[in-house]
Amino acid sequence: MTDLRVRAPETTAAELDAVLEAAVAAAPAFAATRPADRADQLRQAADALDAEGPRLVPVAERESHLPTARLTGELTRTTFQLRLFAQVLEDGAYLEATLDPADPGWGMGPRPDLRRVLQPLGPVAIWAASNFPFAFSVAGGDTASALAAGAPVVLVAHPGHPELSAATAAVLGDALAAAGAPEGAFALVGGLDAGRRLVQDPRITAAAFTGSLHGGRALFDLAQQRPAPIPFYAEMGSVNPVVVTHAAAEQRPDEIAEGFVASLTLGVGQFCTKPGVLLVPAGSGLQARIAGRLGRVGAAPMLNERIAEGYGAMLGTLAAHPAVTVLAGPDRAAPDPLPTLLGTTAAALLDDPRGLTQEVFGPTGLVVTYRGRDELFAAVRAFEGQLTATIQGVDDDPDAPALLPLLTARAGRVLWNGWPTGVSVTWAMQHGGPYPATTNATTTSVGASAIDRWLRPVTYQGVPDALLPEPLQDANPWGLPRRVDGVPQPAPERV
Amino acid sequence: MTDLRVRAPETTAAELDAVLEAAVAAAPAFAATRPADRADQLRQAADALDAEGPRLVPVAERESHLPTARLTGELTRTTFQLRLFAQVLEDGAYLEATLDPADPGWGMGPRPDLRRVLQPLGPVAIWAASNFPFAFSVAGGDTASALAAGAPVVLVAHPGHPELSAATAAVLGDALAAAGAPEGAFALVGGLDAGRRLVQDPRITAAAFTGSLHGGRALFDLAQQRPAPIPFYAEMGSVNPVVVTHAAAEQRPDEIAEGFVASLTLGVGQFCTKPGVLLVPAGSGLQARIAGRLGRVGAAPMLNERIAEGYGAMLGTLAAHPAVTVLAGPDRAAPDPLPTLLGTTAAALLDDPRGLTQEVFGPTGLVVTYRGRDELFAAVRAFEGQLTATIQGVDDDPDAPALLPLLTARAGRVLWNGWPTGVSVTWAMQHGGPYPATTNATTTSVGASAIDRWLRPVTYQGVPDALLPEPLQDANPWGLPRRVDGVPQPAPERV
C-alpha cells in the first residue's frame, strides 16, 4: 500500500506517473469529503506523528544536526498546525460560501440565483525545506494546508533528510489511509529530475516551495512557462531588516544586543526569518556591544555539508565587499562555523543595495550604521521585498510613525520590539512578502489563511438545490457561516 | 490637471514615466484613505458617469457599432459596479481583519500579539477590452475593484474606442479628484509600446487584462519574466460549452434552440461568455431546428474592422476543418456578418480537441452531436479551462448528477437551464476559470470578490495600538467585522 506513497529518494518517470495518476484519481473524492471528516484525518495524522516522535526525532537529529529540544519543539509545531487546520475546516468560513437569491429588482437588471464557493484546485506539488525537517517538510505547513483544502499532495523530499522524509511519509500516509482519506491523497517523491517533471506536469494544478532564491525562481519560471501556467508559491527568504531607532539605541542597548545575537544565531542562523541586517545609529556603540556578545556564542554544526559550503561562499562574498568591515569572525569553518558579524554604513548600502542586502544563510549578521533620519529612511527604501521587518523603538518614539509604513510597504510581517525568528502558527499569521521574499505576496505559507492558496471559486447559476454541493444548499447541511444576499450570516448553532 | 490623467492614444515613454511617478506618489495616501471615503469617491464617479451618459453613449455607439439600448444598459452596469464596490468597502469584511491577542498558553508555544489585515499592493495596470466599451473598459470592473482596494490605476485604452476612452477618463478622473482622491489615483494611457513598458515597469505591482489568448498570454509572459514578477490576471475567453441532455433534447427542443440562438448572436457573438459549442444528442434534430432559427437572425456590424477580420480568419479555419460541416452560412462578410452554424461529432472532437474547441470571436457556433453518455462524458473531459459551462437538463435528469462535477472541474461558473451571456454583478459572481480561460483561476474579474486581486496581507506583531492601522486597533474605529482569537465577530452596530 505504501508503494505509491513513498517514492523518494530518486523517483523514476514511471513511478512519478503512477503517483500522479493516483493523485488525479483521488482528487474528486478528496474534494467531496466533508470538512469535518478531513479535520478528523488531519487530527489522526497529528496523533500518529506525535506518537512516533520518539522514533522520528532521533532520525531528524542524525540527518539535520539540530538538537533534540529544537526538533521535539518543531514536531509539536508540526502537529499543532495539522490540528489548527482541522479547526479551520470546522469553522468553515474558508469556503466563502456566498448565496445571492434571484432578484428581479437587482440594480443592473434581473439577477439569477447565484451561489459561490471555493473548491480545491486539484493535485498539488510541494517542495520540502532543508531547515525545518518537520515543520516545512513532509508533514509541514504546506502539506497541512493543502490536505485541509482537499488537494492531493505530491511532496518532493529534501535530499538533506531522506530517511526522516521516508519515515514521516509512511506515518502520515498510513494515518491518512486509516482515517479514510482516498488512496493517492498523499505521496512522497524525490530527486531533481522528478521535481522538474512534476512542476511541468499538466496534472499538477499548483505548487509551493521553501528554499533558496535560485531554486525557487527556477521552478517558478518552469511553472509559468508551461502551456497552462499554474500558481507557484515560492518562499525564498530575505534579510529581515531590523531598525534600531536613536531613542532605542540610547535607552536599551544591552537588551537589543542580546536579543539580536540570540535571534541571529538561533538554529545556527538557518532561518528564513533570521535578522540578517541591523540598522543602528552611527556612534551608538551597538556594533561593539554586539560583537562582544557574539564572541561568547559557540560553534555549532550546520544542517549539512552542502549548506555549510554555500554559507562559506556567501559569507566570503559579503565579507570581501570593499564597503564591509569585519567586526567578529569571519569564520567559515565548515561544517561548524562560529557566528560572524560584519559592518557597513547606510551610505555604502545606498551605493550598492543589491550587493549589501543579499541573504547569507547561516550565522552571519550585517550591522549598518546610519547618520540621521533621512539617511535611515533612504536606506530602508533601498530594501527589496522581505518576509519581515522590525522596529526596535521606545514609547512615543519620534521615528516610529513614519518608519512603520515604510517597512510595511516592503514586508509581510512587521514587528515592534520583537525578533523575527520564531513564526507562530495562528489565525492572524502572515508568512510571505513582496518579491524576492516570495513569488506571490498575496498568500501566506503559515497560518490559517494558507488554505486559500489551494482553492478556486466556482459559481453555480440557477442550479437546483438537489444538484448543488452541500455548502450552497438551502438547508446549509454543513452549518457554515455564509453571506446571503450580501449580508453575512454566522454559522448556525450546531447540535 | 487632466494632463497627467489622460495620455491616450499614444503615450510616450516620458509621459508614462510621469504617470507612474504620480501613481507611486498617490499610493500611500490612497491606501490610507478610509473605506467610507473611498466608497464616496466611487459613488461620485458613478453619479458623474450617469450624468454624462447622454454625451458618452453616442460616442460609444459611433466607435463600437453597438446599439444604443445595449450601450445604455452597459453604462448602467458600469456605474452599478462602482456602487457595489462602495458597498463592499462599507461592509469591510474584504479587509479580513484578524486579531490574535498574545497567548502564553498557545498550543505550540507562547503566542505574541498578531494582527493581520489586507493592504493594497500599489499602482496597478489594467487593459481595457474592445467588446465592452464601458463595463470592461476605462471605468469598468477592474478599475472599480482596484480603486476600491485603494490601488492607483494606470489604464491602457483599447484602440477600438479612443474618443470614448478619453471622454470617460476625463469624467472619471475629474469626479475622483473632486471627491478627494489623490492626484495620480487614476490615469489613462495608450499604445502598444506604452503597454509593454507598463507591464515591465517595477512601479507596477499587479495587472489585469481582458482580451484574446494571444495578447493575454504575451503580456502574462512579460509580467512573469520581470526581475520581480507580478500577479497578472488575464481573462482570455473560452467556448463555454453547453450540454443538452437526452431528456432535455426530447422535452424542450424549441426552447433550447431559441435560447441558444439568442445567446450565440447577442452582441454579434462578441462576448467572452458566448456559448460557442453546443453538445446535443445525435439524432435529436436540434441541429436543424437551430439552423432554421439562425437563418432568421439578420446581419449586424462587428465592433471594428480588425475584429471583423479576425473573425473571418477564425471562422475560415474552423469551417475548413475536415470534420466540420456547414449547417448555416458560413458568412464572413466583414464588417456585417450573418450568423454561422457549424456541425461536428463528439468522436471528431475527441480526435482533435484543440482544433475543435478554439474560440471564434463572433456570431459562429459549433454543434457537436454525441452518441450516448460515455461519448458525451469523454467529450466533456476533452475541454480545457472555461469561463462557463452549462447543462440544459430536466427535473431529475439522469445525466445531471455525474455531468455537473465534470463541468465544474473545468469552469469558473456552471449554469443550469440558463445561457452564459449576461454576467450579473453580485456578491456571489465568479468570472474566471482554469487556463486558458484565464491565467489565474483563483480570482475573479466580476463581482464583489474581485477586490481581492489587488490586496496582500500584512501581519503586525507586538505593535502598540497607537501605531497600528485603524482596522487593527483595539477600539475598531472603522467598525469592521473581525476575527478575534479565532472567533468571527460581526461588525458592531454603527451609530
Side-chain angles (χ1 to χ4, degrees):
Chain A
M1 182 186 58
T2 50
D3 266 4
L4 264 184
R5 291 207 312 274
V6 184
R7 291 291 187 180
E10 288 289 344
T11 307
T12 67
E15 287 169 340
L16 187 67
D17 189 63
V19 160
L20 284 163
E21 281 305 291
V24 167
F30 201 38
T33 305
R34 289 172 60 94
D37 293 335
R38 275 210 308 280
D40 192 47
Q41 293 164 8
L42 295 178
R43 288 207 179 94
Q44 290 196 39
D47 291 346
L49 289 163
D50 278 338
E52 295 288 343
R55 186 168 65 82
L56 297 173
V57 166
V59 181
E61 209 176 328
R62 189 173 69 246
E63 291 189 321
S64 73
H65 309 127
L66 293 168
T68 313
R70 146 70 196 273
L71 289 165
T72 306
E74 193 187 320
L75 181 57
T76 298
R77 173 206 176 95
T78 304
T79 58
F80 179 82
Q81 64 198 358
L82 286 161
R83 294 190 184 98
L84 180 66
F85 280 110
Q87 281 184 55
V88 170
L89 291 177
E90 287 166 352
D91 174 86
Y94 83 98
L95 288 168
E96 295 181 12
T98 307
L99 286 71
D100 290 331
D103 181 356
W106 189 238
M108 59 163 278
R111 177 177 85 186
D113 183 278
L114 293 162
R115 305 182 185 214
R116 184 180 198 258
V117 70
L118 300 194
Q119 304 194 349
L121 284 163
V124 302
I126 295 171
W127 276 256
S130 64
N131 57 340
F132 281 91
F134 289 116
F136 286 78
S137 191
V138 173
D142 281 320
T143 300
S145 61
L147 292 176
V153 170
V154 181
L155 196 294
V156 185
H158 195 279
H161 45 269
E163 195 183 326
L164 178 67
S165 297
T168 307
V171 174
L172 177 63
D174 286 349
L176 289 172
E183 175 94 31
F186 176 83
L188 181 75
V189 300
L192 280 175
D193 279 358
R196 274 190 291 260
R197 278 197 301 270
L198 194 59
V199 73
Q200 295 176 87
D201 193 285
R203 291 167 287 192
I204 290 296
T205 59
F209 168 93
T210 305
S212 70
L213 178 57
H214 177 77
R217 181 67 195 244
L219 288 168
F220 170 84
D221 286 344
L222 288 177
Q224 302 320 304
Q225 291 158 7
R226 290 164 47 127
I230 54 171
F232 191 91
Y233 309 110
E235 191 267 84
M236 306 177 291
S238 58
V239 296
N240 305 294
V242 178
V243 175
V244 182
T245 67
H246 271 278
E250 273 181 23
Q251 289 185 29
R252 324 184 270 110
D254 281 322
E255 188 187 322
I256 289 168
E258 183 182 344
F260 177 61
V261 169
S263 186
L264 176 69
T265 59
L266 192 72
V268 201
Q270 298 165 120
F271 289 119
C272 49
T273 54
K274 181 197 75 175
V277 174
L278 187 78
L279 295 113
V280 305
S284 64
L286 261 172
Q287 282 185 328
R289 275 178 213 259
I290 292 165
R293 283 187 176 271
L294 204 68
R296 301 202 285 275
V297 179
M302 297 196 76
L303 288 161
N304 56 56
E305 273 295 334
R306 197 164 153 224
I307 283 176
E309 280 165 26
Y311 169 64
M314 288 183 275
L315 170 55
T317 302
L318 188 57
H321 193 287
V324 167
T325 56
V326 175
L327 305 172
D331 187 284
R332 287 171 244 176
D336 293 8
L338 283 160
T340 293
L341 193 68
L342 305 175
T344 191
T345 65
L349 190 147
L350 286 166
D351 277 349
D352 184 12
R354 191 60 67 89
L356 291 172
T357 63
Q358 293 294 301
E359 185 183 11
V360 176
F361 191 76
T364 283
L366 177 67
V367 181
V368 179
T369 52
Y370 64 84
R371 299 187 176 276
R373 185 168 164 154
D374 289 349
E375 197 177 75
L376 169 62
F377 284 21
V380 167
R381 285 197 180 88
F383 282 88
E384 296 181 281
Q386 303 290 325
L387 292 170
T388 75
T390 301
I391 301 177
Q392 291 288 336
V394 300
D395 288 350
D396 302 315
D397 199 306
D399 292 329
L403 201 48
L404 195 74
L406 277 189
L407 292 173
T408 306
R410 285 159 182 80
R413 180 164 54 110
V414 181
L415 298 89
W416 174 264
N417 289 355
W419 298 97
T421 47
V423 181
S424 194
V425 180
T426 84
W427 290 89
M429 178 49 74
Q430 170 63 18
H431 189 61
Y435 192 92
T438 77
T439 51
N440 187 327
T442 69
T443 72
T444 181
S445 66
V446 178
S449 302
I451 196 170
D452 295 352
R453 47 174 55 181
W454 314 115
L455 300 166
R456 72 174 175 94
V458 173
T459 292
Y460 295 82
Q461 180 170 330
V463 174
D465 204 60
L467 288 173
L468 283 170
E470 287 90 336
L472 299 179
Q473 291 173 2
D474 287 338
N476 194 9
W478 289 0
L480 299 172
R482 309 197 290 191
R483 184 181 288 270
V484 180
D485 205 6
V487 181
Q489 312 281 356
E493 294 291 326
R494 296 186 193 171
V495 186
Chain B
M1 181 187 61
T2 50
D3 266 5
L4 264 184
R5 291 206 312 272
V6 185
R7 290 292 188 180
E10 289 288 344
T11 307
T12 66
E15 287 169 339
L16 187 66
D17 189 64
V19 161
L20 284 164
E21 281 305 290
V24 166
F30 202 39
T33 305
R34 290 171 58 95
D37 293 337
R38 275 211 308 280
D40 192 47
Q41 293 163 11
L42 295 178
R43 289 207 179 94
Q44 291 196 37
D47 292 345
L49 289 162
D50 278 338
E52 295 289 343
R55 186 168 66 82
L56 296 173
V57 166
V59 182
E61 209 176 328
R62 190 172 68 246
E63 291 189 321
S64 73
H65 309 128
L66 294 169
T68 312
R70 145 73 195 271
L71 290 165
T72 305
E74 194 187 321
L75 181 57
T76 299
R77 173 206 175 93
T78 305
T79 57
F80 179 83
Q81 62 196 0
L82 286 161
R83 294 190 183 99
L84 179 67
F85 280 110
Q87 281 184 54
V88 170
L89 292 177
E90 287 165 352
D91 173 86
Y94 82 99
L95 289 167
E96 297 182 11
T98 307
L99 286 71
D100 290 332
D103 181 357
W106 190 238
M108 60 162 279
R111 176 177 85 186
D113 183 276
L114 293 162
R115 304 182 186 214
R116 184 179 198 258
V117 70
L118 300 195
Q119 303 193 351
L121 284 163
V124 302
I126 295 171
W127 275 256
S130 64
N131 57 340
F132 281 91
F134 289 117
F136 286 79
S137 190
V138 173
D142 281 320
T143 299
S145 61
L147 292 176
V153 170
V154 181
L155 195 297
V156 185
H158 195 279
H161 44 272
E163 195 183 326
L164 179 68
S165 298
T168 309
V171 174
L172 177 63
D174 287 349
L176 290 172
E183 174 94 29
F186 176 82
L188 181 75
V189 301
L192 279 177
D193 278 358
R196 275 190 289 259
R197 279 197 300 272
L198 194 59
V199 72
Q200 296 178 86
D201 193 286
R203 291 166 288 193
I204 290 297
T205 59
F209 167 93
T210 305
S212 70
L213 178 58
H214 177 78
R217 181 66 196 244
L219 289 168
F220 170 84
D221 286 344
L222 288 176
Q224 302 319 305
Q225 290 159 7
R226 291 164 46 126
I230 55 171
F232 192 91
Y233 309 108
E235 192 269 83
M236 305 176 292
S238 57
V239 295
N240 306 294
V242 177
V243 175
V244 182
T245 67
H246 269 281
E250 272 181 25
Q251 289 185 27
R252 325 184 269 109
D254 281 321
E255 188 187 322
I256 290 167
E258 182 182 344
F260 176 62
V261 168
S263 186
L264 175 70
T265 58
L266 192 72
V268 202
Q270 298 165 121
F271 289 120
C272 48
T273 53
K274 181 196 78 176
V277 174
L278 188 78
L279 295 113
V280 307
S284 64
L286 261 172
Q287 282 184 329
R289 275 179 212 259
I290 293 165
R293 284 187 176 270
L294 204 68
R296 300 202 287 273
V297 179
M302 297 197 77
L303 288 161
N304 56 56
E305 273 294 335
R306 198 162 154 227
I307 283 176
E309 280 166 26
Y311 169 65
M314 288 183 276
L315 169 55
T317 302
L318 188 57
H321 192 287
V324 168
T325 56
V326 175
L327 304 172
D331 187 284
R332 290 169 241 176
D336 293 6
L338 284 162
T340 293
L341 193 68
L342 305 175
T344 191
T345 64
L349 190 145
L350 287 166
D351 276 348
D352 182 12
R354 190 63 65 88
L356 291 172
T357 64
Q358 293 294 302
E359 185 183 9
V360 175
F361 191 77
T364 284
L366 177 68
V367 181
V368 178
T369 51
Y370 64 85
R371 297 185 179 276
R373 185 168 165 155
D374 288 351
E375 195 177 74
L376 170 62
F377 284 22
V380 167
R381 285 197 181 86
F383 282 87
E384 296 183 281
Q386 302 289 325
L387 292 171
T388 75
T390 300
I391 301 177
Q392 291 288 338
V394 300
D395 289 351
D396 302 315
D397 199 305
D399 292 329
L403 201 47
L404 194 74
L406 277 189
L407 293 173
T408 305
R410 285 158 182 80
R413 181 163 55 110
V414 180
L415 298 89
W416 174 265
N417 289 355
W419 298 98
T421 46
V423 181
S424 195
V425 180
T426 83
W427 290 89
M429 179 48 74
Q430 170 63 18
H431 189 61
Y435 192 92
T438 77
T439 51
N440 187 326
T442 70
T443 73
T444 181
S445 66
V446 178
S449 302
I451 195 170
D452 295 353
R453 46 172 58 180
W454 315 114
L455 299 166
R456 73 174 173 96
V458 174
T459 292
Y460 295 82
Q461 179 170 331
V463 174
D465 203 60
L467 289 172
L468 283 170
E470 286 89 338
L472 300 179
Q473 291 173 1
D474 287 339
N476 193 10
W478 289 0
L480 299 172
R482 310 197 290 193
R483 184 181 287 271
V484 180
D485 205 8
V487 181
Q489 312 281 354
E493 294 291 325
R494 295 184 195 173
V495 185

